Amino acid sequence: MSEVIHKVEEQSGVSIHREVPEKRSHENFDVGQMSSETRAAFVRVCKDGPASCTDYRHVFESILGRKVVSEILK
């Protein structure tokens, strides 16, 4: 889905390294391309409940990208 950008900030002799998801184009936010599984997970998480851990993971993967979520949950 998305790639990760490595940012380095220099502050008074200290380097701060951050990895952030790469900016995506507007085509990646077309809900017409969203699967019914993803749509249902979003509804359970944001509206109806009760959402499972799997629903939350599915929603975060659709926003951040599967690779980023997997890296965070190592």
Side-chain angles (χ1 to χ4, degrees), residues 2-6 18-22 64 67-68 71:
S2 65
E3 297 298 318
V4 176
I5 297 174
H6 187 83
R18 299 175 191 207
E19 290 185 349
V20 294
E22 184 177 59
L64 298 172
K67 184 177 177 184
V68 173
E71 191 67 29

Side-chain angles (χ1 to χ4, degrees), residues 55-68:
D55 290 327
Y56 280 98
R57 183 174 181 141
H58 194 85
V59 167
F60 287 129
E61 285 176 349
S62 71
I63 296 169
L64 298 172
R66 184 170 287 131
K67 184 177 177 184
V68 173

Side-chain angles (χ1 to χ4, degrees), residues 32-73:
Q33 297 177 10
M34 184 183 287
S35 72
S36 59
E37 181 183 354
T38 301
R39 188 179 298 268
F42 264 92
V43 170
R44 285 189 295 274
V45 168
C46 298
K47 185 178 175 186
D48 293 343
S52 67
C53 291
T54 305
D55 290 327
Y56 280 98
R57 183 174 181 141
H58 194 85
V59 167
F60 287 129
E61 285 176 349
S62 71
I63 296 169
L64 298 172
R66 184 170 287 131
K67 184 177 177 184
V68 173
V69 173
S70 295
E71 191 67 29
I72 291 169
L73 298 176

Side-chain angles (χ1 to χ4, degrees), residues 2-30:
S2 65
E3 297 298 318
V4 176
I5 297 174
H6 187 83
K7 289 187 172 187
V8 179
E9 296 175 23
E10 299 287 337
Q11 294 180 355
S12 60
V14 177
S15 296
I16 299 172
H17 296 263
R18 299 175 191 207
E19 290 185 349
V20 294
E22 184 177 59
K23 182 179 176 181
R24 294 189 270 169
S25 68
H26 70 280
E27 288 90 10
N28 289 320
F29 297 99
D30 180 5

